[in-house]
Amino acid sequence: MDYSKILSPTVQSIKPSGIRKYFDIADSMEGVISLGVGEPDFPTPWEIRKAGILSLESGKTRYTSNWGMEQLRAEICRYMNRKYSLSYEPKTDVLVTVGGSEAIDACIRAITSPGDEIIIPQPSYVCYQPIVALAGGTPVIIETTAEHDFKLTPEALRSAITPKTKALIMPYPCNPTGGIMNRQDLEAVAEVLRGTDIFVISDEIYSELTFGGNSHVSIASIDGMHERTVVVNGFSKTFSMTGWRLGFACGPAPIMKQITKIHQFAIMCAPTTSQYAAIEALKNGDEAVKTMREEYDMRRRLIVNGFNKIGLTCREPLGAFYAFPCIRSTGLSSDEFCERLLYAEKVAVVPGTAFGQGGEGFVRASYCYSTQHIKEALSRIDRFLKSLQK
Amino acid sequence: MNIKLLKLLSKDSRTSTADLATMLGISEEEVRAEIAEMEHEGIIRGYKAVIDWDRLDSAYVSAIIELKVTPKAGLGFEDVAAKVMKYPEVESVYLMSGVYDLNVVVKGKTFQEVAKFVAKELSTIESVNSTATHFVLRRYKELDVELLGTGKDERGSYLL
């Protein structure tokens, strides 16, 4: 059977993740030390796990409302308000999803018609471009640069806008660059968007992981942006709940109503056990989040300092949990660097190009690892760099 | 007093001064000064390795001994605690709330050795009324370190 005739041309045109091959090689090698993982190493805080267990023990094992449990939606609204000064109505403005990923997918599908252009700043998380393509839209890439701390500048945004522009994806705090957008940066972007019909999908999954005295600011809290923004967030990174698969989207009621139709038919409802655990996370999780953030911060200083010391320029990442050092001084491409490093010293990092062509010259190193692990990886990379000079 | 510094040291006391300084965002001199001060004040009492003795042939046995004690007028439990803690066999001594008074962790080469120590030394201390000995059969976690399990990272290498 000719499966290529069965499969959708759009699906077939999506490139599989380029870094799969490194991980396949890494998995087949002994003694590999990875800085590749994009999820917290902490287990979910115990009280949150307990709330999930308790819900199971008391037999709370049925579907919830398509939108998610009302109590959870109310907690999400309270949380968004106290953290980011955002006001949402629990009954109409909040959808609980299967991870932030589902929220992103549903949002993009809800607004994209064939031919619509969706602006995506890169380097950024890998899912936006394929989802836009699947929805029949055209991804329009803006390359952010190290010179601007990988921020989206108003100039770059303005020059990417055409009459076909439907929406802008805001991937901040940014995986893989660690870039953030502070209030001033967001004001400048908002200035470009106000008075247009361009919508914003703001992926703020790393909102609680900002450092160096920076608190996350949501673009939806900037004047005039609330009505044109869906904020996507979730529990995976903040509360170390990756496996629970729980996220949410908040936005204007007319938009959320349509997004929820997609969710309703594709998913039904987010996992019930996870929703119970999430209520506990939002109510009482602040202290645990603070402890984890402090731990990440120490590792962040360690890895950034380490890269700079061994000669790989690494700007200070102010968000998420990745360092994004520049490897141009080696004369290697990101791909070559990662492959040779893996073979020579058995250290796995991710080429910046996995997150868009603008990532060339950089690699992503996660610091979701113990300090010993990070130190060992750095000393191996140091040895690798020295071997290149010989 | 730098709680963050203490936490780092309690996790790994061999972390270098340079790394401690980087992680805390202070200078190496400050780290050295703070450690020296906390040592001087008796906040930091020592630096030890966490050893899984069960992996060696020369493994030892340990027991938790519950002591019921008649407190002395004016001295309370301090007097007997001071006596008990002087034995090299004794690893730790705690005054407890609840049905007994002193919790004493004792180690020795064999069960017999520990039993003999309890019978001949601890239980004969004046004002010790009774002892109850609980031998440790297996150590799962010691000083925050899990002794079981592979320590393998179960996270998959997905592109996230």
Side-chain angles (χ1 to χ4, degrees):
Chain A
M1 198 165 189
D2 185 358
Y3 292 114
S4 67
K5 285 189 181 138
I6 301 283
L7 290 157
S8 131
T10 314
V11 170
Q12 291 185 80
S13 71
I14 293 173
K15 274 183 259 147
S17 150
I19 65 153
R20 191 63 251 167
K21 69 172 180 187
Y22 298 106
F23 288 137
D24 286 344
I25 299 167
D27 285 345
S28 70
M29 288 165 83
E30 274 291 306
V32 171
I33 180 160
S34 173
L35 296 178
V37 165
E39 67 176 310
D41 56 333
F42 304 105
T44 305
W46 171 242
E47 291 303 320
I48 300 175
R49 280 185 272 162
K50 210 166 78 182
I53 294 167
L54 212 67
S55 79
L56 286 173
E57 281 179 348
S58 41
K60 312 279 192 200
T61 54
R62 304 218 156 77
Y63 294 130
T64 68
S65 145
N66 294 136
W67 293 80
M69 289 164 59
E70 211 168 310
Q71 197 194 347
L72 175 56
R73 282 182 281 148
E75 285 301 336
I76 289 171
C77 291
R78 267 194 280 278
Y79 182 83
M80 295 301 268
N81 192 260
R82 84 183 149 88
K83 289 281 181 187
Y84 314 117
S85 310
L86 293 169
S87 301
Y88 292 108
E89 260 313 305
K91 280 193 180 3
T92 54
D93 303 351
V94 186
L95 171 67
V96 179
T97 57
V98 180
S101 307
E102 194 228 332
I104 293 164
D105 178 59
C107 289
I108 291 176
R109 283 205 273 162
I111 63 170
T112 308
S113 308
D116 282 350
E117 293 180 356
I118 312 287
I119 298 173
I120 305 171
Q122 282 186 350
S124 62
Y125 181 50
V126 294
C127 83
Y128 313 120
Q129 207 172 336
I131 292 174
V132 168
L134 284 170
T138 308
V140 174
I141 306 302
I142 293 178
E143 306 286 8
T144 63
T145 61
E147 291 65 45
H148 290 109
D149 289 324
F150 296 104
K151 291 173 192 282
L152 174 64
T153 63
E155 297 77 31
L157 176 59
R158 218 173 268 124
S159 62
I161 293 174
T162 76
K164 289 182 179 169
T165 304
K166 180 54 101 37
L168 162 69
I169 309 269
M170 283 293 282
Y172 295 97
C174 185
N175 166 16
T177 64
I180 63 168
M181 294 283 281
N182 60 32
R183 184 172 295 280
Q184 207 183 337
D185 304 323
L186 293 171
E187 289 284 1
V189 166
E191 187 53 37
V192 179
L193 297 174
R194 276 189 292 256
T196 71
D197 279 330
I198 299 170
F199 202 72
V200 176
I201 298 172
S202 188
D203 180 357
E204 303 180 10
I205 192 80
Y206 289 99
S207 61
E208 281 306 291
L209 295 172
T210 56
F211 308 101
N214 296 280
S215 296
H216 175 70
V217 180
S218 173
I219 189 165
S221 69
I222 307 291
D223 259 1
M225 294 307 292
H226 193 275
E227 59 166 354
R228 60 180 72 249
T229 306
V230 167
V231 175
V232 172
N233 211 318
F235 297 85
S236 297
K237 318 290 180 176
T238 304
F239 298 100
S240 213
M241 290 177 72
T242 44
W244 298 76
R245 306 311 307 126
L246 206 69
F248 56 88
C250 298
I255 296 264
M256 296 314 298
K257 196 174 163 187
Q258 301 302 319
I259 291 176
T260 301
K261 288 200 290 195
I262 300 174
H263 169 80
Q264 175 185 344
F265 294 122
I267 304 289
M268 197 62 216
C269 70
T272 303
T273 312
S274 306
Q275 293 192 50
Y276 277 98
I279 292 170
E280 170 65 22
L282 294 176
K283 274 173 134 172
N284 301 314
D286 282 6
E287 201 52 41
V289 172
K290 180 168 171 270
T291 306
M292 291 191 278
R293 186 193 301 117
E294 281 175 0
E295 182 68 35
Y296 287 130
D297 194 17
M298 289 194 278
R299 300 168 179 186
R300 183 182 71 101
R301 293 169 200 271
L302 191 71
I303 200 166
V304 170
N305 186 274
F307 276 127
N308 283 310
K309 241 189 210 159
I310 62 180
L312 295 180
T313 309
C314 186
R315 295 161 24 270
E316 190 185 3
L318 294 174
F321 38 49
Y322 310 98
F324 203 55
C326 178
I327 52 95
R328 285 191 189 121
S329 59
T330 62
L332 301 173
S333 72
S334 298
D335 259 12
E336 288 167 344
F337 181 93
C338 293
E339 190 165 347
R340 288 179 60 178
L341 175 62
L342 182 56
Y343 279 117
E345 288 293 341
K346 298 184 177 182
V347 177
V349 293
V350 181
T353 45
F355 306 93
Q357 280 316 303
E360 183 53 81
F362 296 86
V363 299
R364 187 191 79 172
S366 156
Y367 51 84
C368 292
Y369 294 94
S370 71
T371 48
Q372 285 94 332
H373 186 103
I374 291 169
K375 295 271 295 171
E376 171 64 19
L378 284 168
S379 85
R380 290 190 193 191
I381 297 172
D382 185 29
R383 215 157 49 206
F384 172 67
L385 294 174
K386 290 195 172 111
S387 77
L388 290 178
Q389 286 160 6
K390 275 175 199 159
Chain B
M1 198 179 34
N2 191 328
I3 298 287
K4 277 191 187 169
L5 173 57
L6 284 176
K7 280 187 183 161
L8 285 175
L9 288 173
S10 73
K11 215 182 279 175
D12 181 3
S13 62
R14 297 185 69 193
T15 313
S16 71
T17 310
D19 288 345
L20 289 171
T22 304
M23 286 193 274
L24 296 168
I26 59 179
S27 72
E28 289 188 44
E29 288 66 41
E30 283 171 291
V31 170
R32 267 190 285 273
E34 297 219 32
I35 290 177
E37 195 188 330
M38 290 191 287
E39 285 173 345
H40 181 74
E41 286 177 0
I43 294 168
I44 297 174
R45 290 301 186 117
Y47 305 87
K48 290 195 167 192
V50 183
I51 296 165
D52 187 357
W53 288 103
D54 290 344
R55 285 173 190 267
L56 304 175
D57 292 338
S58 57
Y60 66 91
V61 295
S62 56
I64 292 165
I65 325 287
E66 301 172 359
L67 295 190
K68 285 187 183 163
V69 178
T70 309
K72 281 193 178 162
L75 289 168
F77 297 97
E78 305 299 302
D79 183 52
V80 63
K83 261 186 202 145
V84 170
M85 73 185 188
K86 288 298 174 199
Y87 290 102
E89 292 89 341
V90 170
E91 218 171 52
S92 63
V93 184
Y94 306 116
L95 179 62
M96 308 300 288
S97 66
V99 294
Y100 66 97
D101 303 306
L102 290 182
N103 176 306
V104 182
V105 179
V106 171
K107 63 170 190 265
K109 283 199 188 74
T110 61
F111 286 95
Q112 289 83 348
E113 193 179 286
V114 172
K116 202 168 136 194
F117 172 75
V118 174
K120 291 217 161 154
E121 302 293 337
L122 290 186
S123 59
T124 59
I125 296 175
E126 194 196 350
S127 74
V128 168
N129 300 327
S130 74
T131 65
T133 303
H134 309 276
F135 281 103
V136 174
L137 299 182
R138 189 157 185 191
R139 294 175 189 85
Y140 295 103
K141 191 174 181 181
E142 192 99 320
L143 294 166
D144 292 335
V145 179
E146 289 181 17
L147 304 179
L148 280 181
T150 56
K152 197 172 176 295
D153 195 338
E154 285 166 359
R155 293 173 294 170
S157 9
Y158 319 110
L159 180 52
L160 291 169

PDB file of all heavy atoms in Angstrom, chain A residues 12-41:
ATOM      1  N   GLN A  12       2.750  14.983   6.225  1.00  0.00           N
ATOM      2  CA  GLN A  12       4.009  14.426   5.721  1.00  0.00           C
ATOM      3  C   GLN A  12       5.088  15.494   5.552  1.00  0.00           C
ATOM      4  O   GLN A  12       6.276  15.193   5.634  1.00  0.00           O
ATOM      5  CB  GLN A  12       3.774  13.717   4.388  1.00  0.00           C
ATOM      6  CG  GLN A  12       2.955  12.451   4.551  1.00  0.00           C
ATOM      7  CD  GLN A  12       2.823  11.692   3.238  1.00  0.00           C
ATOM      8  OE1 GLN A  12       3.729  10.975   2.830  1.00  0.00           O
ATOM      9  NE2 GLN A  12       1.694  11.874   2.585  1.00  0.00           N
ATOM     10  N   SER A  13       4.645  16.722   5.337  1.00  0.00           N
ATOM     11  CA  SER A  13       5.644  17.775   5.122  1.00  0.00           C
ATOM     12  C   SER A  13       6.271  18.254   6.440  1.00  0.00           C
ATOM     13  O   SER A  13       7.259  18.973   6.441  1.00  0.00           O
ATOM     14  CB  SER A  13       5.005  18.957   4.389  1.00  0.00           C
ATOM     15  OG  SER A  13       4.121  19.630   5.268  1.00  0.00           O
ATOM     16  N   ILE A  14       5.672  17.855   7.550  1.00  0.00           N
ATOM     17  CA  ILE A  14       6.247  18.263   8.838  1.00  0.00           C
ATOM     18  C   ILE A  14       7.518  17.466   9.091  1.00  0.00           C
ATOM     19  O   ILE A  14       7.523  16.242   9.016  1.00  0.00           O
ATOM     20  CB  ILE A  14       5.242  18.035   9.988  1.00  0.00           C
ATOM     21  CG1 ILE A  14       4.051  18.976   9.826  1.00  0.00           C
ATOM     22  CG2 ILE A  14       5.911  18.250  11.351  1.00  0.00           C
ATOM     23  CD1 ILE A  14       2.932  18.703  10.803  1.00  0.00           C
ATOM     24  N   LYS A  15       8.574  18.209   9.377  1.00  0.00           N
ATOM     25  CA  LYS A  15       9.853  17.544   9.606  1.00  0.00           C
ATOM     26  C   LYS A  15       9.879  16.929  11.005  1.00  0.00           C
ATOM     27  O   LYS A  15       9.479  17.585  11.965  1.00  0.00           O
ATOM     28  CB  LYS A  15      11.011  18.547   9.478  1.00  0.00           C
ATOM     29  CG  LYS A  15      11.490  18.711   8.045  1.00  0.00           C
ATOM     30  CD  LYS A  15      12.688  19.652   7.991  1.00  0.00           C
ATOM     31  CE  LYS A  15      12.258  21.027   7.555  1.00  0.00           C
ATOM     32  NZ  LYS A  15      12.835  22.189   7.988  1.00  0.00           N
ATOM     33  N   PRO A  16      10.345  15.687  11.114  1.00  0.00           N
ATOM     34  CA  PRO A  16      10.482  15.143  12.465  1.00  0.00           C
ATOM     35  C   PRO A  16      11.568  15.918  13.188  1.00  0.00           C
ATOM     36  O   PRO A  16      12.455  16.499  12.555  1.00  0.00           O
ATOM     37  CB  PRO A  16      10.900  13.691  12.231  1.00  0.00           C
ATOM     38  CG  PRO A  16      11.475  13.667  10.857  1.00  0.00           C
ATOM     39  CD  PRO A  16      10.822  14.771  10.087  1.00  0.00           C
ATOM     40  N   SER A  17      11.488  15.920  14.483  1.00  0.00           N
ATOM     41  CA  SER A  17      12.452  16.663  15.277  1.00  0.00           C
ATOM     42  C   SER A  17      13.874  16.257  14.929  1.00  0.00           C
ATOM     43  O   SER A  17      14.227  15.082  14.961  1.00  0.00           O
ATOM     44  CB  SER A  17      12.165  16.409  16.751  1.00  0.00           C
ATOM     45  OG  SER A  17      13.350  16.488  17.485  1.00  0.00           O
ATOM     46  N   GLY A  18      14.688  17.264  14.593  1.00  0.00           N
ATOM     47  CA  GLY A  18      16.043  17.011  14.131  1.00  0.00           C
ATOM     48  C   GLY A  18      16.957  16.420  15.188  1.00  0.00           C
ATOM     49  O   GLY A  18      17.991  15.832  14.862  1.00  0.00           O
ATOM     50  N   ILE A  19      16.597  16.579  16.447  1.00  0.00           N
ATOM     51  CA  ILE A  19      17.540  16.137  17.466  1.00  0.00           C
ATOM     52  C   ILE A  19      17.296  14.704  17.921  1.00  0.00           C
ATOM     53  O   ILE A  19      18.031  14.179  18.725  1.00  0.00           O
ATOM     54  CB  ILE A  19      17.506  17.046  18.702  1.00  0.00           C
ATOM     55  CG1 ILE A  19      16.148  16.948  19.378  1.00  0.00           C
ATOM     56  CG2 ILE A  19      17.838  18.459  18.340  1.00  0.00           C
ATOM     57  CD1 ILE A  19      16.260  17.236  20.838  1.00  0.00           C
ATOM     58  N   ARG A  20      16.249  14.116  17.387  1.00  0.00           N
ATOM     59  CA  ARG A  20      15.960  12.729  17.745  1.00  0.00           C
ATOM     60  C   ARG A  20      17.216  11.881  17.599  1.00  0.00           C
ATOM     61  O   ARG A  20      17.516  11.026  18.412  1.00  0.00           O
ATOM     62  CB  ARG A  20      14.830  12.220  16.836  1.00  0.00           C
ATOM     63  CG  ARG A  20      14.207  10.901  17.202  1.00  0.00           C
ATOM     64  CD  ARG A  20      13.532  10.937  18.548  1.00  0.00           C
ATOM     65  NE  ARG A  20      14.284  10.159  19.514  1.00  0.00           N
ATOM     66  CZ  ARG A  20      14.093  10.191  20.817  1.00  0.00           C
ATOM     67  NH1 ARG A  20      13.184  10.965  21.331  1.00  0.00           N
ATOM     68  NH2 ARG A  20      14.828   9.459  21.625  1.00  0.00           N
ATOM     69  N   LYS A  21      17.975  12.167  16.531  1.00  0.00           N
ATOM     70  CA  LYS A  21      19.137  11.325  16.253  1.00  0.00           C
ATOM     71  C   LYS A  21      20.176  11.394  17.374  1.00  0.00           C
ATOM     72  O   LYS A  21      20.759  10.384  17.728  1.00  0.00           O
ATOM     73  CB  LYS A  21      19.757  11.664  14.895  1.00  0.00           C
ATOM     74  CG  LYS A  21      20.435  13.003  14.829  1.00  0.00           C
ATOM     75  CD  LYS A  21      21.193  13.159  13.484  1.00  0.00           C
ATOM     76  CE  LYS A  21      21.871  14.518  13.454  1.00  0.00           C
ATOM     77  NZ  LYS A  21      22.494  14.883  12.221  1.00  0.00           N
ATOM     78  N   TYR A  22      20.364  12.592  17.976  1.00  0.00           N
ATOM     79  CA  TYR A  22      21.334  12.673  19.081  1.00  0.00           C
ATOM     80  C   TYR A  22      20.894  11.822  20.256  1.00  0.00           C
ATOM     81  O   TYR A  22      21.672  11.137  20.890  1.00  0.00           O
ATOM     82  CB  TYR A  22      21.494  14.112  19.580  1.00  0.00           C
ATOM     83  CG  TYR A  22      22.021  15.029  18.535  1.00  0.00           C
ATOM     84  CD1 TYR A  22      21.182  15.943  17.931  1.00  0.00           C
ATOM     85  CD2 TYR A  22      23.347  14.951  18.136  1.00  0.00           C
ATOM     86  CE1 TYR A  22      21.654  16.775  16.951  1.00  0.00           C
ATOM     87  CE2 TYR A  22      23.822  15.785  17.153  1.00  0.00           C
ATOM     88  CZ  TYR A  22      22.972  16.697  16.564  1.00  0.00           C
ATOM     89  OH  TYR A  22      23.435  17.514  15.593  1.00  0.00           O
ATOM     90  N   PHE A  23      19.600  11.926  20.525  1.00  0.00           N
ATOM     91  CA  PHE A  23      19.101  11.191  21.669  1.00  0.00           C
ATOM     92  C   PHE A  23      19.146   9.688  21.398  1.00  0.00           C
ATOM     93  O   PHE A  23      19.397   8.901  22.310  1.00  0.00           O
ATOM     94  CB  PHE A  23      17.698  11.658  22.036  1.00  0.00           C
ATOM     95  CG  PHE A  23      17.698  13.032  22.657  1.00  0.00           C
ATOM     96  CD1 PHE A  23      16.749  13.967  22.288  1.00  0.00           C
ATOM     97  CD2 PHE A  23      18.656  13.383  23.595  1.00  0.00           C
ATOM     98  CE1 PHE A  23      16.753  15.239  22.864  1.00  0.00           C
ATOM     99  CE2 PHE A  23      18.670  14.646  24.174  1.00  0.00           C
ATOM    100  CZ  PHE A  23      17.712  15.577  23.799  1.00  0.00           C
ATOM    101  N   ASP A  24      18.921   9.302  20.154  1.00  0.00           N
ATOM    102  CA  ASP A  24      19.033   7.884  19.819  1.00  0.00           C
ATOM    103  C   ASP A  24      20.470   7.408  20.022  1.00  0.00           C
ATOM    104  O   ASP A  24      20.709   6.343  20.579  1.00  0.00           O
ATOM    105  CB  ASP A  24      18.583   7.621  18.373  1.00  0.00           C
ATOM    106  CG  ASP A  24      17.058   7.702  18.251  1.00  0.00           C
ATOM    107  OD1 ASP A  24      16.380   7.653  19.306  1.00  0.00           O
ATOM    108  OD2 ASP A  24      16.562   7.839  17.122  1.00  0.00           O
ATOM    109  N   ILE A  25      21.418   8.228  19.560  1.00  0.00           N
ATOM    110  CA  ILE A  25      22.832   7.880  19.764  1.00  0.00           C
ATOM    111  C   ILE A  25      23.129   7.847  21.262  1.00  0.00           C
ATOM    112  O   ILE A  25      23.708   6.896  21.780  1.00  0.00           O
ATOM    113  CB  ILE A  25      23.766   8.906  19.075  1.00  0.00           C
ATOM    114  CG1 ILE A  25      23.521   8.946  17.566  1.00  0.00           C
ATOM    115  CG2 ILE A  25      25.235   8.566  19.356  1.00  0.00           C
ATOM    116  CD1 ILE A  25      24.174  10.128  16.867  1.00  0.00           C
ATOM    117  N   ALA A  26      22.691   8.888  21.952  1.00  0.00           N
ATOM    118  CA  ALA A  26      22.961   8.995  23.389  1.00  0.00           C
ATOM    119  C   ALA A  26      22.404   7.794  24.143  1.00  0.00           C
ATOM    120  O   ALA A  26      23.060   7.239  25.026  1.00  0.00           O
ATOM    121  CB  ALA A  26      22.379  10.286  23.937  1.00  0.00           C
ATOM    122  N   ASP A  27      21.195   7.381  23.770  1.00  0.00           N
ATOM    123  CA  ASP A  27      20.574   6.251  24.455  1.00  0.00           C
ATOM    124  C   ASP A  27      21.357   4.964  24.262  1.00  0.00           C
ATOM    125  O   ASP A  27      21.321   4.066  25.097  1.00  0.00           O
ATOM    126  CB  ASP A  27      19.133   6.046  23.952  1.00  0.00           C
ATOM    127  CG  ASP A  27      18.195   7.111  24.513  1.00  0.00           C
ATOM    128  OD1 ASP A  27      18.604   7.798  25.474  1.00  0.00           O
ATOM    129  OD2 ASP A  27      17.078   7.256  23.988  1.00  0.00           O
ATOM    130  N   SER A  28      22.071   4.884  23.147  1.00  0.00           N
ATOM    131  CA  SER A  28      22.793   3.639  22.852  1.00  0.00           C
ATOM    132  C   SER A  28      24.198   3.640  23.466  1.00  0.00           C
ATOM    133  O   SER A  28      24.910   2.651  23.399  1.00  0.00           O
ATOM    134  CB  SER A  28      22.894   3.440  21.336  1.00  0.00           C
ATOM    135  OG  SER A  28      23.787   4.404  20.812  1.00  0.00           O
ATOM    136  N   MET A  29      24.594   4.762  24.067  1.00  0.00           N
ATOM    137  CA  MET A  29      25.938   4.844  24.634  1.00  0.00           C
ATOM    138  C   MET A  29      25.906   4.673  26.149  1.00  0.00           C
ATOM    139  O   MET A  29      24.938   5.050  26.798  1.00  0.00           O
ATOM    140  CB  MET A  29      26.573   6.208  24.309  1.00  0.00           C
ATOM    141  CG  MET A  29      26.975   6.368  22.855  1.00  0.00           C
ATOM    142  SD  MET A  29      27.302   8.109  22.451  1.00  0.00           S
ATOM    143  CE  MET A  29      28.971   8.270  23.013  1.00  0.00           C
ATOM    144  N   GLU A  30      27.001   4.130  26.685  1.00  0.00           N
ATOM    145  CA  GLU A  30      27.136   3.994  28.137  1.00  0.00           C
ATOM    146  C   GLU A  30      27.752   5.264  28.712  1.00  0.00           C
ATOM    147  O   GLU A  30      28.626   5.866  28.089  1.00  0.00           O
ATOM    148  CB  GLU A  30      28.049   2.812  28.467  1.00  0.00           C
ATOM    149  CG  GLU A  30      27.346   1.467  28.530  1.00  0.00           C
ATOM    150  CD  GLU A  30      26.406   1.336  29.728  1.00  0.00           C
ATOM    151  OE1 GLU A  30      26.864   1.558  30.863  1.00  0.00           O
ATOM    152  OE2 GLU A  30      25.220   1.032  29.504  1.00  0.00           O
ATOM    153  N   GLY A  31      27.312   5.641  29.893  1.00  0.00           N
ATOM    154  CA  GLY A  31      27.976   6.736  30.603  1.00  0.00           C
ATOM    155  C   GLY A  31      27.727   8.116  30.027  1.00  0.00           C
ATOM    156  O   GLY A  31      28.518   9.025  30.232  1.00  0.00           O
ATOM    157  N   VAL A  32      26.621   8.260  29.303  1.00  0.00           N
ATOM    158  CA  VAL A  32      26.309   9.587  28.758  1.00  0.00           C
ATOM    159  C   VAL A  32      25.753  10.473  29.865  1.00  0.00           C
ATOM    160  O   VAL A  32      24.993  10.027  30.715  1.00  0.00           O
ATOM    161  CB  VAL A  32      25.281   9.485  27.620  1.00  0.00           C
ATOM    162  CG1 VAL A  32      24.785  10.872  27.209  1.00  0.00           C
ATOM    163  CG2 VAL A  32      25.883   8.781  26.431  1.00  0.00           C
ATOM    164  N   ILE A  33      26.178  11.711  29.849  1.00  0.00           N
ATOM    165  CA  ILE A  33      25.663  12.661  30.814  1.00  0.00           C
ATOM    166  C   ILE A  33      24.907  13.717  30.016  1.00  0.00           C
ATOM    167  O   ILE A  33      25.429  14.313  29.096  1.00  0.00           O
ATOM    168  CB  ILE A  33      26.812  13.194  31.689  1.00  0.00           C
ATOM    169  CG1 ILE A  33      26.328  14.189  32.709  1.00  0.00           C
ATOM    170  CG2 ILE A  33      27.946  13.767  30.908  1.00  0.00           C
ATOM    171  CD1 ILE A  33      27.332  14.335  33.844  1.00  0.00           C
ATOM    172  N   SER A  34      23.645  13.873  30.337  1.00  0.00           N
ATOM    173  CA  SER A  34      22.772  14.692  29.501  1.00  0.00           C
ATOM    174  C   SER A  34      22.454  16.035  30.132  1.00  0.00           C
ATOM    175  O   SER A  34      22.253  16.138  31.335  1.00  0.00           O
ATOM    176  CB  SER A  34      21.462  13.931  29.248  1.00  0.00           C
ATOM    177  OG  SER A  34      20.541  14.763  28.576  1.00  0.00           O
ATOM    178  N   LEU A  35      22.455  17.047  29.297  1.00  0.00           N
ATOM    179  CA  LEU A  35      21.881  18.334  29.698  1.00  0.00           C
ATOM    180  C   LEU A  35      20.722  18.624  28.754  1.00  0.00           C
ATOM    181  O   LEU A  35      20.416  19.764  28.428  1.00  0.00           O
ATOM    182  CB  LEU A  35      22.920  19.465  29.635  1.00  0.00           C
ATOM    183  CG  LEU A  35      24.121  19.376  30.583  1.00  0.00           C
ATOM    184  CD1 LEU A  35      25.073  20.547  30.350  1.00  0.00           C
ATOM    185  CD2 LEU A  35      23.676  19.360  32.035  1.00  0.00           C
ATOM    186  N   GLY A  36      20.103  17.553  28.304  1.00  0.00           N
ATOM    187  CA  GLY A  36      19.110  17.687  27.244  1.00  0.00           C
ATOM    188  C   GLY A  36      17.669  17.756  27.699  1.00  0.00           C
ATOM    189  O   GLY A  36      16.804  18.197  26.966  1.00  0.00           O
ATOM    190  N   VAL A  37      17.420  17.330  28.919  1.00  0.00           N
ATOM    191  CA  VAL A  37      16.039  17.162  29.337  1.00  0.00           C
ATOM    192  C   VAL A  37      15.354  18.494  29.609  1.00  0.00           C
ATOM    193  O   VAL A  37      15.952  19.395  30.182  1.00  0.00           O
ATOM    194  CB  VAL A  37      15.994  16.260  30.593  1.00  0.00           C
ATOM    195  CG1 VAL A  37      14.655  16.351  31.272  1.00  0.00           C
ATOM    196  CG2 VAL A  37      16.289  14.827  30.210  1.00  0.00           C
ATOM    197  N   GLY A  38      14.112  18.612  29.194  1.00  0.00           N
ATOM    198  CA  GLY A  38      13.373  19.851  29.395  1.00  0.00           C
ATOM    199  C   GLY A  38      12.291  19.725  30.443  1.00  0.00           C
ATOM    200  O   GLY A  38      11.220  20.290  30.295  1.00  0.00           O
ATOM    201  N   GLU A  39      12.563  18.970  31.486  1.00  0.00           N
ATOM    202  CA  GLU A  39      11.569  18.907  32.556  1.00  0.00           C
ATOM    203  C   GLU A  39      12.252  18.891  33.916  1.00  0.00           C
ATOM    204  O   GLU A  39      13.400  18.478  34.042  1.00  0.00           O
ATOM    205  CB  GLU A  39      10.645  17.700  32.392  1.00  0.00           C
ATOM    206  CG  GLU A  39      11.292  16.346  32.566  1.00  0.00           C
ATOM    207  CD  GLU A  39      10.261  15.215  32.474  1.00  0.00           C
ATOM    208  OE1 GLU A  39       9.233  15.297  33.151  1.00  0.00           O
ATOM    209  OE2 GLU A  39      10.501  14.254  31.731  1.00  0.00           O
ATOM    210  N   PRO A  40      11.552  19.389  34.933  1.00  0.00           N
ATOM    211  CA  PRO A  40      12.157  19.494  36.259  1.00  0.00           C
ATOM    212  C   PRO A  40      12.618  18.130  36.783  1.00  0.00           C
ATOM    213  O   PRO A  40      12.052  17.099  36.416  1.00  0.00           O
ATOM    214  CB  PRO A  40      11.005  20.010  37.134  1.00  0.00           C
ATOM    215  CG  PRO A  40      10.043  20.648  36.190  1.00  0.00           C
ATOM    216  CD  PRO A  40      10.159  19.878  34.917  1.00  0.00           C
ATOM    217  N   ASP A  41      13.662  18.155  37.612  1.00  0.00           N
ATOM    218  CA  ASP A  41      14.102  16.900  38.223  1.00  0.00           C
ATOM    219  C   ASP A  41      13.435  16.676  39.577  1.00  0.00           C
ATOM    220  O   ASP A  41      13.535  15.600  40.138  1.00  0.00           O
ATOM    221  CB  ASP A  41      15.634  16.865  38.369  1.00  0.00           C
ATOM    222  CG  ASP A  41      16.172  18.034  39.161  1.00  0.00           C
ATOM    223  OD1 ASP A  41      15.526  19.094  39.167  1.00  0.00           O
ATOM    224  OD2 ASP A  41      17.234  17.892  39.785  1.00  0.00           O
TER     225      ASP A  41
END
